[in-house]
C-alpha cells in the first residue's frame, strides 16, 4: 500500500483536529465547536474572509470503517467590494463541510487516488483544505452590494444612485451643432 508523504501537522494549529479521543470503531462520534482565526487568502479577488477573522466551526467527527467523516458548518464574516460600484460589502458566509479522512493503510489507499480523499496524519486531520474549498467555491466571483445595483457612470465615475435621472454626457459633434439649435427653436 502506498505511503503518503506530507509535512507533519502542528496539533496546536486552529484548523487541525486531533482524533485521539475518538474511538476507532464505526459509529463513534465527537463534536467540535470552536472559533478559530481565518487563514490568509481565504477568498477570491473581490471578496473573502479577512485573515484572522473569527471562523465558527460546528462540526461532527464520526468514525467510519475507512476513517473519520468530518461534517458540519463553517461560518464567518466576508469583506469585499461590489463589482459594479466598488462600494464595500460586509456580509457573512456559512458553508457545509463534509469530508472523509482515511486511516493510514486502509483499503481506501488501494481504491482511491491520493488526492481524492483526505488522509489522517497519525491522529491529526488538516481541515484547512476542506474549509478553503467550501468557502472559496461559495463566494461569488463578481460580488454585488445589492441585486439592483446600477453601478457607476462610465463617463464620470459617480455612483448612478447619486446622479439625477436626466444625467448625460452626450456630446454634440460641432459640425451638427447648428441642427441642435433648430430643435430648441421648435420647443
Amino acid at each position: 500500500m502506498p505511503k503518503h508523504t506530507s509535512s507533519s501537522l502542528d496539533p496546536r494549529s486552529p484548523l487541525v483536529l486531533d482524533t485521539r479521543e475518538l474511538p476507532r470503531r464505526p459509529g463513534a462520534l465527537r463534536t467540535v465547536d470552536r472559533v478559530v482565526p481565518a487563514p490568509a487568502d481565504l477568498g477570491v479577488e473581490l471578496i473573502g474572509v479577512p485573515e484572522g477573522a473569527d471562523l465558527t466551526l460546528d462540526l461532527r467527527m464520526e468514525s467510519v470503517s475507512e476513517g473519520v467523516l468530518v461534517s458540519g458548518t463553517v461560518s464567518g464574516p466576508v469583506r469585499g467590494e461590489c463589482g459594479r460600484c466598488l462600494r464595500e460589502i460586509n456580509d457573512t458566509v456559512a458553508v457545509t463541510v463534509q469530508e472523509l479522512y482515511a486511516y493510514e493503510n486502509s483499503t481506501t489507499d488501494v481504491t482511491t487516488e491520493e488526492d481524492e480523499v483526505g488522509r489522517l496524519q497519525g491522529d491529526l486531520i488538516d481541515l484547512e483544505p476542506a474549509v478553503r474549498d467550501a468557502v472559496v467555491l461559495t463566494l461569488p466571483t463578481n460580488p454585488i452590494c445589492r441585486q439592483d445595483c446600477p453601478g457607476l457612470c462610465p463617463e464620470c465615475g459617480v455612483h448612478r444612485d447619486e446622479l439625477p435621472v436626466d444625467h448625460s454626457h452626450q456630446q454634440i459633434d460641432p459640425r451638427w451643432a447648428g441642427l441642435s439649435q433648430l430643435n430648441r427653436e421648435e420647443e
Side-chain angles (χ1 to χ4, degrees):
M1 294 193 189
K3 279 276 187 196
H4 301 286
T5 58
S6 53
S7 62
S8 85
L9 294 175
D10 181 358
R12 296 172 304 212
S13 179
L15 288 172
V16 171
L17 303 179
D18 191 341
T19 63
R20 282 182 288 187
E21 294 183 15
L22 179 67
R24 288 192 176 204
R25 65 177 186 277
L29 177 72
R30 294 288 183 264
T31 59
V32 176
D33 294 311
R34 65 169 88 152
V35 176
V36 301
D41 301 322
L42 188 57
V44 292
E45 188 176 345
L46 292 177
I47 193 165
V49 178
E51 182 176 358
D54 287 346
L55 283 180
T56 302
L57 307 179
D58 184 12
L59 306 171
R60 294 170 26 134
M61 293 190 306
E62 184 176 357
S63 285
V64 294
S65 59
E66 292 299 311
V68 176
L69 179 66
V70 177
S71 58
T73 59
V74 176
S75 58
V78 290
R79 304 280 181 267
E81 69 181 22
C82 179
R84 291 183 187 164
C85 70
L86 306 178
R87 285 189 174 152
E88 186 175 340
I89 296 174
N90 292 306
D91 204 356
T92 58
V93 65
V95 295
T96 301
V97 174
Q98 185 168 29
E99 187 83 19
L100 173 66
Y101 293 88
Y103 294 131
E104 286 184 41
N105 303 319
S106 68
T107 57
T108 307
D109 284 339
V110 177
T111 60
T112 62
E113 297 293 323
E114 186 172 348
D115 60 350
E116 201 174 341
V117 172
R119 311 281 178 193
L120 267 94
Q121 295 180 30
D123 290 320
L124 301 177
I125 292 174
D126 184 7
L127 196 60
E128 184 174 340
V131 168
R132 184 172 298 283
D133 287 350
V135 170
V136 170
L137 290 174
T138 300
L139 295 174
T141 54
N142 191 18
I144 53 176
C145 59
R146 64 179 206 260
Q147 284 302 111
D148 63 341
C149 176
L152 302 174
C153 172
E155 297 292 323
C156 63
V158 175
H159 196 281
R160 287 188 172 158
D161 280 344
E162 299 168 2
L163 295 172
V165 176
D166 62 344
H167 177 74
S168 173
H169 292 278
Q170 183 179 10
Q171 294 183 3
I172 299 173
D173 186 326
R175 297 171 290 180
W176 298 99
L179 291 176
S180 68
Q181 296 301 320
L182 291 175
N183 215 9
R184 288 189 189 138
E185 290 171 6
E186 290 179 13
E187 295 174 358

